């Protein structure tokens, strides 16, 4: 009996100890803000704020009036040239087409009967000409009816993405009233307002570096289109920079930071990063740093993020400072991703999301 009691107590203690065991901590990735290292411009580079615009916008509309029966596209959808976009109620146009076909049949029948009389010489020439004219008129009306029926289907005239849908199903479309707009963003334009005192230093081939924070993207600008009429209030000129957009990531309305390199500037291809992303280890010989376990020596470093979203401490050598940015002489390569915000919580090997 005593053995049974001891065994029961042992089982109870084992159950209690198991229930008190804590679940292993699951490490949650640390959220940080990152930046991809790109070539920087130095010296006399000027920076402006720009807005991304589509290369071309096409307003698509019906040629006639009617009620929209179906809308087959949505905003942001990619469409191809020749794709059906919308349909209009075609009940009336089909009735008109049926009437035109009946008139065409009647005119052809009359032509066949009168032709026999004309060939026998028993039909006056003027009456024969009149019959031929009626056939031509019926044919013309039939062609117009067929076109009106075809125009009840709205076809995309170009390829692109749907920018805005201006009319919905059940609404009445008027002739030449835009139903949707199709945007060509295979190449985009970045619009910048430049003060009149600085417009003279910019030409169609001036080098530009463009960064878009919304998508963490950096681009090299292409040919520049200069406006010739200044804004009466701000005394600025609008210029547009052509930018290749093969991946379709640049969208109209995005804000861009644009750097122009004036005649006296040099594009040295240096790697520019925010000053705030560079940190300095605390000089100490008594104990290792918390993040890496190595002795702190006062060196400069940044947190880099690998492709597997792992953070690593990377020692860097910096050079010239320009505004809020500093050039990196050694330690980083073009295309490396660095943490610019939230890095205070990082340690070697930390998983991050950005």
């Amino acid at each position: 009996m005593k053995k049974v009691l001891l065994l029961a107590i042992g089982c109870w203690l084992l159950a209690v100890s198991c229930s008190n065991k804590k679940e292993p901590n699951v490490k949650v990735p640390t959220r940080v803000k990152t930046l991809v290292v790109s070539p920087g411009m130095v010296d006399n580079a000027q920076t402006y704020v720009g807005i991304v615009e589509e290369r071309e916008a096409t307003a698509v509309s019906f040629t006639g009036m009617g009620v929209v029966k179906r809308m087959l596209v949505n905003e942001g959808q990619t469409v191809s040239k020749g794709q059906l976009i919308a349909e209009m109620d075609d009940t009336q146009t089909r009735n008109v087409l049926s009437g035109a076909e009946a008139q065409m049949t009647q005119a052809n029948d009359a032509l066949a009967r009168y032709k026999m009389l004309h060939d026998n010489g028993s039909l006056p020439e003027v009456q024969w000409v009149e019959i031929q004219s009626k056939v031509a008129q019926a044919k013309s009306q039939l062609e117009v009816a067929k076109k009106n029926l075809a125009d009840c289907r709205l076809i995309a005239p170009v390829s692109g993405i749907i920018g805005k849908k201006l009319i919905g199903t059940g609404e009445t479309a008027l002739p030449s009233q835009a139903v949707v707009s199709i945007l060509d963003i295979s190449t985009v334009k970045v619009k910048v307002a430049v003060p009149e005192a600085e417009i003279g230093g910019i030409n169609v081939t001036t080098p530009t570096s463009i960064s878009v924070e919304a998508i963490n993207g950096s681009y090299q600008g292409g040919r520049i289109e200069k406006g010739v009429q200044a804004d009466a209030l701000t005394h600025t000129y609008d210029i547009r920079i052509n930018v290749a957009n093969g991946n379709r990531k640049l969208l109209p309305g995005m804000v861009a930071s644009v750097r122009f390199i004036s005649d006296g500037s040099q594009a040295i291809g240096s790697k520019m990063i925010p000053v705030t992303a560079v940190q300095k280890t605390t000089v100490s010989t008594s104990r290792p740093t918390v993040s890496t376990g190595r002795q702190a020596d006062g060196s400069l470093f940044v947190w880099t993020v690998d492709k597997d979203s792992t953070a690593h401490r990377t020692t860097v050598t910096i050079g010239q400072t320009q505004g809020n940015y500093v050039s990196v002489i050694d330690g980083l390569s073009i295309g490396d991703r660095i943490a610019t915000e939230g890095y205070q919580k990082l340690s070697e090997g930390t998983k991050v999301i950005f």
Side-chain angles (χ1 to χ4, degrees):
M1 184 66 181
K2 192 174 183 180
K3 291 183 178 180
V4 174
L5 181 60
L6 292 175
L7 181 61
I9 294 174
C11 293
W12 177 77
L13 291 174
L14 180 61
V16 171
S17 63
C18 290
S19 63
N20 291 333
K21 287 184 178 179
K22 295 183 179 179
E23 293 293 328
N25 292 328
V26 178
K27 291 186 177 180
V28 179
T30 303
R31 180 173 293 278
V32 296
K33 190 172 182 180
T34 65
L35 176 72
V36 176
V37 179
S38 60
M41 304 296 181
V42 297
D43 294 334
N44 298 325
Q46 299 293 330
T47 303
Y48 304 88
V49 175
I51 300 295
V52 178
E53 295 181 341
E54 67 277 359
R55 177 177 176 271
E56 187 175 359
T58 302
V60 185
S61 60
F62 288 105
T63 58
M65 177 179 176
V67 177
V68 177
K69 182 171 64 176
R70 288 199 305 164
M71 284 295 299
L72 304 175
V73 296
N74 295 309
E75 292 183 359
Q77 179 179 336
T78 301
V79 296
S80 302
K81 182 178 180 180
Q83 181 176 333
L84 180 63
I85 294 176
E87 287 184 321
M88 185 185 293
D89 187 358
D90 58 1
T91 302
Q92 183 177 354
T93 53
R94 285 189 180 277
N95 292 335
V96 173
L97 177 61
S98 297
E101 289 174 341
Q103 290 181 359
M104 187 75 250
T105 301
Q106 183 180 9
N108 286 332
D109 181 66
L111 179 65
R113 287 187 286 106
Y114 279 102
K115 186 176 186 302
M116 296 176 60
L117 297 176
H118 178 266
D119 293 344
N120 293 333
S122 57
L123 183 70
E125 188 67 25
V126 64
Q127 194 171 357
W128 173 243
V129 172
E130 182 180 351
I131 293 299
Q132 289 180 316
S133 297
K134 289 183 178 180
V135 172
Q137 291 175 1
K139 183 178 181 181
S140 176
Q141 292 175 358
L142 179 61
E143 294 299 323
V144 171
K146 287 182 178 179
K147 184 180 185 303
N148 289 339
L149 180 60
D151 288 344
C152 290
R153 293 165 52 87
L154 190 61
I155 305 298
V158 294
S159 298
I161 64 171
I162 301 298
K164 289 185 178 181
K165 188 168 67 172
L166 304 172
I167 293 182
T169 302
E171 296 182 344
T172 300
L174 300 177
S176 301
Q177 178 186 10
V179 176
V180 297
S181 62
I182 300 179
L183 309 180
D184 179 3
I185 59 170
S186 57
T187 300
V188 296
K189 298 180 181 181
V190 179
K191 177 184 174 183
V192 181
V194 179
E196 60 182 11
E198 301 170 9
I199 191 67
I202 299 174
N203 54 55
V204 295
T205 58
T206 297
T208 56
S209 176
I210 300 169
S211 62
V212 181
E213 185 177 355
I215 56 175
N216 281 334
S218 298
Y219 301 83
Q220 295 300 314
R223 187 175 179 84
I224 295 175
E225 302 172 8
K226 292 178 62 175
V228 296
Q229 187 171 0
D231 184 280
L233 296 177
T234 61
H235 296 283
T236 58
Y237 289 83
D238 286 340
I239 71 167
R240 289 173 170 83
I241 309 162
N242 289 277
V243 182
N245 189 31
N247 54 14
R248 303 299 198 276
K249 288 187 176 181
L250 289 173
L251 299 177
M254 286 184 173
V255 178
S257 176
V258 182
R259 296 167 61 83
F260 290 93
I261 310 305
S262 58
D263 294 338
S265 302
Q266 297 177 352
I268 64 172
S270 60
K271 298 176 284 289
M272 305 293 291
I273 62 174
V275 174
T276 54
V278 182
Q279 301 177 70
K280 185 177 182 179
T281 58
T282 303
V283 178
S284 172
T285 57
S286 59
R287 60 179 181 177
T289 59
V290 175
S291 60
T292 64
R294 294 179 297 179
Q295 293 292 332
D297 55 5
S299 61
L300 301 176
F301 70 95
V302 298
W303 287 104
T304 57
V305 179
D306 282 352
K307 293 182 179 180
D308 62 354
S309 299
T310 302
H312 299 285
R313 178 186 174 191
T314 302
T315 302
V316 295
T317 303
I318 64 172
Q320 181 179 355
T321 301
Q322 182 181 3
N324 295 326
Y325 286 80
V326 63
S327 63
V328 178
I329 299 174
D330 188 36
L332 293 178
S333 301
I334 301 297
D336 286 348
R337 185 177 293 276
I338 65 171
T340 57
E341 293 183 17
Y343 49 75
Q344 296 86 351
K345 302 177 181 179
L346 297 181
S347 59
E348 184 67 25
T350 300
K351 288 291 184 179
V352 302
I353 54 176
F354 51 90

